[in-house]
Amino acid sequence: MADNTFDLIVIGAGPGGYVAAIRAAQLGMRVACVEKQALGGTCLNVGCIPSKALLESSELFHQAGSSLDIHGVKTGGVELDLKGMMKRKSSIVRRMTGGIRGLFRKNNVTHISGLGRLAGDGKVDVDGDVYSAARILIATGSSAIELPNLPFDGEYVISSTEALSLDEVPEKMIVIGAGAIGLELGSVWHRLGAEVHVVEFLDGVTPTMDRELSLGLQKVLEKQGLRFSFETRAESAEVRDGKVIVTLAQGDETASETCDRLLVAVGRRPNTDGLGGEDVGLEMDDQGRILVDDVFETNLPGVYAIGDVIPGPMLAHKAEEEGVAAVEYMAGKAGHVNYDAIPNVVYTHPELASVGLTEEQVAADDIPYKVGKFPITANGRAHTLQAVDGQVKIIAHEKTDRVLGIHILSARASDMLAEGVLAMEFSASAEDIARTMHAHPTLPEALKEAALNVEDEAIHI
Ligand code: FAD
Ligand code: NAI
């Protein structure tokens, strides 16, 4: 086999692409992975990992400055070393992306640096060099959506990428969009001292998540000091003397507000620029997402796509699962992605975590259901953690008791949710969760109590 011929060429080395490349190599394929920027994609470089690093550091800074007294810990003067915080974040990113390089070496995945372009007939052009493969997997991910009236300038009107690397704390930040990025990065800069105003088009935060718990999160964030304006549009922005003047519209009323940084976080769009999809007839929908069938094959035989560049939630674990399933299908195995059990977490404090259907979706689909709830304030461990905000809500089928959705607003909800995802994966009933022994004292006991409460049988309320 010539050096530039492979069984599989993966375009994009984000969590979808690099995981698919490793799995394909495990399955015996000769694999190359083309990446135009850094290994690890959005998630490792400018997404999941750096944002969680800053969320952790900023929460510690905030606690050290305001809430350790109650534990009997006197900290004295607490100072922010933003440079040090950013250095820690960058070193985590370096370590993780270096880890992928090591995994590629271990699994004999060839890393090709450059822009991958579909050249037809199983060929991929990388900056003028042509490679061929029996199969091609597109995992080119997504980029921040730019609002035409608020174009990014990289300094004052910024996307999440710049908001992860500011070199000083802005006095005031306006955030457009109360989704995952707006709330997570809004929280980071607020904890570090910025005044933060979040402007959202719809009528509440995290509009796709369970309404009751989203409202709960909104109230806690308001208590923490974030300001929200709902049903509000950002009309335009003008940078003058180092400040951004933003025009906001609510109904027919408009008003302008000045800030130091304007973070626009209104969603992401699939990356297909430069991929050459149009030239080879690759089918995409009106939002530019590549269309695939049940085994992730596009309309072009032998060309597959997964992750943020295809329809579905834009989440790292969804991209990974699709990557693994796609190459398993290619190898004649039974790939598996359960779209009914995709976990979704917003890493604020408390965290909002959910899997399955929301109460609004169950009601809209006319599914007969019952709900069990348990307040976090009734959980012993939560008191020891000094984190009593939130609740667990379990939605189960009224007749079969099968769990349809689990929603958790709590500190460490991301970790608690794993049990809920597993329960849904195994089609558990609420009673299955209720009768499972949970270690005491732990936050997941709140999940058990919510499950008991589906039949009004919670012990501790
Ligand atoms: P990507 O990670 O976007 O990777 C695609 C890669 O392809 C990129 O490296 C790109 O350079 C490369 N590429 C594109 N076109 C070409 C080409 N033509 N040739 C060569 N290379 C190309 N998700 C979570 O699940 N949890 C989180 O906590 C979370 N936090 C996030 C925080 C932020 C601030 C952001 C922005 C996103 C976050 N996400 C999170 C979303 C997550 O990052 C994405 O869902 C995930 O990275 C998608 O993986 P992917 O492999 O499909 O694409
Ligand atoms: P998002 O889709 O989560 O939220 C965007 C918000 O902006 C929505 O509430 C929407 O109603 C609002 N909006 C849209 N247009 C608007 C406008 N013109 N004016 C005001 N508000 C407007 O998108 P976000 O936060 O940018 O995140 C992008 C993607 O990255 C998401 O798909 C998300 O899943 C992923 N992500 C995941 C994280 C996690 O899993 N913890 C963290 C960060 C991002």
Side-chain angles (χ1 to χ4, degrees):
M1 222 185 253
D3 269 345
N4 59 355
T5 304
F6 297 89
D7 296 317
L8 173 69
I9 296 177
V10 180
I11 307 179
Y18 88 75
V19 169
I22 291 171
R23 181 69 186 129
Q26 284 177 349
L27 291 168
M29 295 182 216
R30 189 164 185 263
V31 186
C33 185
V34 184
E35 171 56 59
K36 66 175 175 157
Q37 288 176 311
L39 294 179
T42 304
C43 177
L44 269 72
N45 293 286
V46 289
C48 327
I49 298 298
S51 60
K52 267 79 249 177
L54 290 184
L55 277 156
E56 213 53 54
S57 298
S58 61
E59 179 58 21
L60 287 177
F61 172 72
H62 171 74
Q63 283 185 12
S66 70
S67 58
L68 291 185
D69 280 15
I70 194 146
H71 290 272
V73 180
K74 297 273 182 206
T75 47
V78 176
E79 259 182 69
L80 174 65
D81 169 12
L82 185 59
K83 240 188 190 160
M85 201 177 273
M86 292 295 174
K87 201 167 145 200
R88 171 182 175 273
K89 175 209 71 174
S90 303
S91 80
I92 295 169
V93 169
R94 256 198 315 279
R95 181 174 300 190
M96 306 290 295
T97 54
I100 299 176
R101 206 164 297 120
L103 289 171
F104 273 7
R105 263 198 304 273
K106 182 180 156 211
N107 290 283
N108 288 321
V109 173
T110 303
H111 169 206
I112 303 171
S113 240
L115 178 77
R117 195 177 60 79
L118 298 172
D121 293 332
K123 292 192 171 43
V124 176
D125 176 304
V126 184
D127 301 333
D129 293 331
V130 178
Y131 299 83
S132 15
R135 295 188 175 94
I136 296 165
L137 177 65
I138 303 166
T140 48
S142 65
S143 305
I145 290 177
E146 186 170 62
L147 292 175
N149 46 349
L150 305 167
F152 295 128
D153 63 19
E155 192 175 357
Y156 296 102
V157 182
I158 57 175
S159 73
S160 55
T161 299
E162 293 79 32
L164 288 166
S165 294
L166 297 181
D167 55 12
E168 61 181 356
V169 180
E171 224 166 275
K172 179 163 176 185
M173 175 181 267
I174 295 182
V175 178
I176 310 294
I181 292 180
L183 298 188
E184 290 184 5
L185 295 182
S187 290
V188 165
W189 292 107
H190 176 65
R191 290 168 190 168
L192 298 181
E195 179 191 342
V196 173
H197 179 192
V198 183
V199 174
E200 164 64 49
F201 195 62
L202 297 175
D203 62 356
V205 305
T206 54
T208 56
M209 295 178 84
D210 189 87
R211 191 92 174 108
E212 183 182 5
L213 269 70
S214 296
L215 192 61
L217 174 61
Q218 180 189 317
K219 285 191 174 144
V220 181
L221 294 177
E222 276 168 347
K223 218 163 58 184
Q224 289 170 9
L226 270 83
R227 180 154 77 88
F228 291 97
S229 295
F230 297 112
E231 297 178 322
T232 304
R233 297 181 315 278
E235 301 261 282
S236 60
E238 188 194 337
V239 179
R240 214 186 298 150
D241 301 329
K243 299 270 182 196
V244 194
I245 302 147
V246 191
T247 305
L248 301 173
Q250 213 169 28
D252 296 335
E253 312 258 297
T254 57
S256 58
E257 196 169 317
T258 302
C259 63
D260 302 284
R261 293 286 187 280
L262 176 66
L263 166 60
V264 180
V266 295
R268 296 177 63 82
R269 63 168 179 84
N271 283 334
T272 51
D273 297 350
L275 183 64
E278 289 85 357
D279 301 339
V280 291
L282 183 67
E283 204 184 330
M284 294 178 241
D285 68 10
D286 56 358
Q287 293 174 53
R289 301 175 301 188
I290 299 174
L291 295 173
V292 293
D293 64 13
D294 288 351
V295 296
F296 303 102
E297 193 164 15
T298 67
N299 64 313
L300 305 175
V303 179
Y304 299 75
I306 50 118
D308 279 12
V309 78
I310 69 169
M314 290 181 165
L315 294 168
H317 40 275
K318 179 252 188 195
E320 280 183 41
E321 294 294 323
E322 288 180 341
V324 168
V327 299
E328 288 183 346
Y329 284 129
M330 292 175 200
K333 292 183 166 293
H336 167 85
V337 182
N338 182 355
Y339 287 97
D340 294 330
I342 300 181
N344 188 10
V345 181
V346 180
Y347 295 81
T348 42
H349 186 72
E351 296 173 344
L352 178 57
S354 96
V355 61
L357 299 175
T358 63
E359 193 167 353
E360 292 70 39
Q361 287 168 330
V362 177
D365 290 350
D366 278 333
I367 301 171
Y369 70 97
K370 45 194 181 172
V371 173
K373 296 181 194 174
F374 190 77
I376 298 298
T377 188
N379 174 277
R381 185 67 187 279
H383 283 271
T384 69
L385 291 169
Q386 204 64 37
V388 295
D389 287 318
Q391 68 164 314
V392 177
K393 174 172 177 179
I394 296 186
I395 302 168
H397 195 283
E398 191 180 33
K399 296 204 173 66
T400 64
D401 196 38
R402 182 175 171 166
V403 176
L404 301 171
I406 298 182
H407 308 278
I408 308 172
L409 178 64
S410 170
R412 304 185 190 174
S414 49
D415 297 325
M416 288 164 80
L417 187 68
E419 174 186 354
V421 180
L422 196 67
M424 290 205 57
E425 191 65 42
F426 285 93
S427 309
S429 63
E431 187 179 353
D432 288 329
I433 299 177
R435 291 194 182 274
T436 300
M437 198 182 298
H438 286 66
H440 176 75
T442 58
L443 290 172
E445 285 176 291
L447 204 72
K448 175 188 167 85
E449 290 269 11
L452 280 166
N453 226 14
V454 167
E455 295 297 340
D456 284 330
E457 289 173 352
I459 302 292
H460 290 92
I461 45 170

